[in-house]
Amino acid sequence: QVQLVESGGRLVQAGESLRLSCVASGLTFSSWTMAWFRQAPGKEREFVAAIGWSGLNTPVADSVKGRFTISRDNAKTTVGLQMNSLKPEDTAVYYCAAKLGQVASPNGDYLLWGQGTQVTVSS
């Protein structure tokens, strides 16, 4: 069974850091580009960051550039999102997603999704 399971979301204060993790199972991890998206209440889901197998190309959204870093551990089939200097506007449900191929970008068919993990940043 193919699964993406996120963890690490919680309530934090503005300025703090948080690391999210996503464990992938039931798929050939090397064939998939991994990404993080988020959805805030009343807003559309938005792209946060993506990473291909090599990890050389890691596009991130302008809103989190310089604060968030995506990484992957291919041996452990996990992808992480290190979030620093968190702001109240980062409050959202964060989703792990995967698409076939090695083009790390916001675009394309992200076919696999996790259930999401809630991140709340208080001011």
Side-chain angles (χ1 to χ4, degrees):
Q1 181 181 2
V2 177
Q3 272 191 314
L4 301 179
V5 180
E6 305 98 331
S7 63
R10 61 180 177 90
L11 171 65
V12 296
Q13 300 277 349
E16 292 185 344
S17 297
L18 194 62
R19 181 175 178 82
L20 305 182
S21 292
C22 170
V23 179
S25 60
L27 53 80
T28 303
F29 196 62
S30 61
S31 298
W32 297 78
T33 284
M34 304 300 295
W36 288 95
F37 289 77
R38 69 184 183 184
Q39 187 167 20
K43 295 187 177 181
E44 293 188 354
R45 186 170 59 198
E46 65 173 351
F47 170 81
V48 176
I51 186 168
W53 169 261
S54 68
L56 296 178
N57 183 31
T58 56
V60 296
D62 288 343
S63 58
V64 305
K65 195 166 293 183
R67 299 188 298 121
F68 289 13
T69 303
I70 189 171
S71 62
R72 65 189 286 165
D73 184 332
N74 294 322
K76 296 181 179 180
T77 66
T78 61
V79 59
L81 184 68
Q82 179 66 40
M83 305 185 293
N84 299 328
S85 303
L86 282 161
K87 304 175 181 180
E89 50 263 45
D90 295 319
T91 294
V93 177
Y94 284 73
Y95 296 92
C96 178
K99 66 172 182 175
L100 281 169
Q102 296 306 316
V103 179
S105 73
N107 306 312
D109 290 331
Y110 282 91
L111 300 176
L112 304 178
W113 293 85
Q115 82 288 350
T117 187
Q118 176 71 48
V119 172
T120 304
V121 184
S122 64
S123 57

